[in-house]
Amino acid sequence: MITKAEFIVSNSDVSKCPSEPIPEYAFIGRSNVGKSSLINMLTNNKNLAKTSGRPGKTQLINHFKINNNWFLVDLPGYGYARVSKTTKKTFQKFITQYFEKRQQLVCAFVLVDIRHEPQKIDLEFMQWLGENAIPFCIVFTKADKLKPGAIERNVEVYKQILLETWEEFPPYFVTSSENKTGKEELLQYIDNINKSLR
């Protein structure tokens, strides 16, 4: 249960991220995957993360302090088409640096739109996290747009693809910001990890 969520800082320089030694959970996904809506749903705050009809709105590392005991980190979407190549490179660079350098990072939540078949860019990103030994979960978004059977089928397709190269399928959550599906499970997961770290 989130009772307090406050914005702390945004920046593009990993060394300027908060130095408090509290656990950190990063949310990342392709542009327009519904990341801001998910963050706002989890924190019960419609205006915490900026949602916009224009993909690629988050272009900085945004730190939110939750219940005074962990950080939720909103990272820029990757694979955003409407920026120049050089901007894209800089983007990728600080996302990469964030994952390589943040000691406080406990887990990354990789958001994917449940309506689409697995996208190369998402699979490559998960592969990269795996190669760099960064724990992650998959968060399927926009589940309200599909019937339960279709959701199961799409998750199954992901499993088959990932299990070709992975020993096991990472933990995953099926969510909808519209009807709050998956909210309790996701927060419980974070809570359990936080308890185990104490």
Side-chain angles (χ1 to χ4, degrees):
M1 170 83 172
I2 291 182
T3 49
K4 187 178 181 198
E6 53 182 329
F7 171 74
I8 303 295
V9 67
S10 344
N11 61 69
S12 59
D13 182 346
V14 179
S15 63
K16 295 199 177 92
C17 287
S19 56
E20 281 179 76
I22 60 177
E24 195 158 290
Y25 298 84
F27 287 73
I28 190 167
R30 271 179 313 128
S31 307
N32 224 8
V33 72
K35 182 164 51 74
S36 302
S37 305
L38 180 84
I39 290 172
N40 293 342
M41 175 213 30
L42 291 175
T43 56
N44 286 325
N45 183 335
K46 277 199 196 66
N47 307 314
L48 194 68
K50 304 271 184 289
T51 51
S52 91
R54 209 176 80 231
K57 198 81 176 107
T58 314
Q59 299 193 357
L60 294 164
I61 301 169
N62 296 305
H63 273 76
F64 300 98
K65 196 187 232 181
I66 308 296
N67 295 349
N68 284 332
N69 71 358
W70 57 278
F71 280 121
L72 184 158
V73 185
D74 182 7
L75 290 170
Y78 48 80
Y80 175 48
R82 281 173 47 193
V83 291
S84 68
K85 278 224 167 71
T86 43
T87 319
K88 211 173 208 168
K89 278 220 167 72
T90 330
F91 254 16
Q92 306 308 48
K93 199 166 137 215
F94 76 71
I95 292 176
T96 312
Q97 284 181 336
Y98 169 82
F99 282 110
E100 287 171 347
K101 295 184 175 168
R102 280 305 270 175
Q103 301 294 323
Q104 295 91 325
L105 179 71
V106 177
C107 179
F109 291 99
V110 181
L111 277 59
V112 294
D113 188 328
I114 189 89
R115 297 172 300 176
H116 307 309
E117 57 190 52
Q119 307 280 314
K120 188 166 174 256
I121 190 165
D122 292 327
L123 297 170
E124 282 173 355
F125 183 64
M126 292 177 201
Q127 193 64 39
W128 182 84
L129 288 174
E131 285 163 4
N132 287 276
I134 295 156
F136 73 93
C137 298
I138 300 175
V139 178
F140 292 101
T141 61
K142 310 191 183 188
D144 54 289
K145 308 275 194 281
L146 292 180
K147 295 196 162 66
I151 290 175
E152 274 175 44
R153 277 196 303 278
N154 291 8
V155 169
E156 207 41 56
V157 170
Y158 251 94
K159 280 189 179 161
Q160 284 169 359
I161 290 182
L162 282 182
L163 291 175
E164 286 170 13
T165 48
W166 294 71
E167 280 177 23
E168 53 183 319
F169 194 61
Y172 71 94
F173 302 89
V174 173
T175 69
S176 157
S177 304
E178 286 298 309
N179 53 28
K180 302 195 170 18
T181 307
K183 177 180 177 176
E184 296 307 319
E185 293 82 347
L186 216 158
L187 290 175
Q188 190 59 56
Y189 183 80
I190 292 175
D191 197 44
N192 291 345
I193 295 180
N194 286 342
K195 285 189 175 126
S196 72
L197 293 172
R198 278 183 204 138

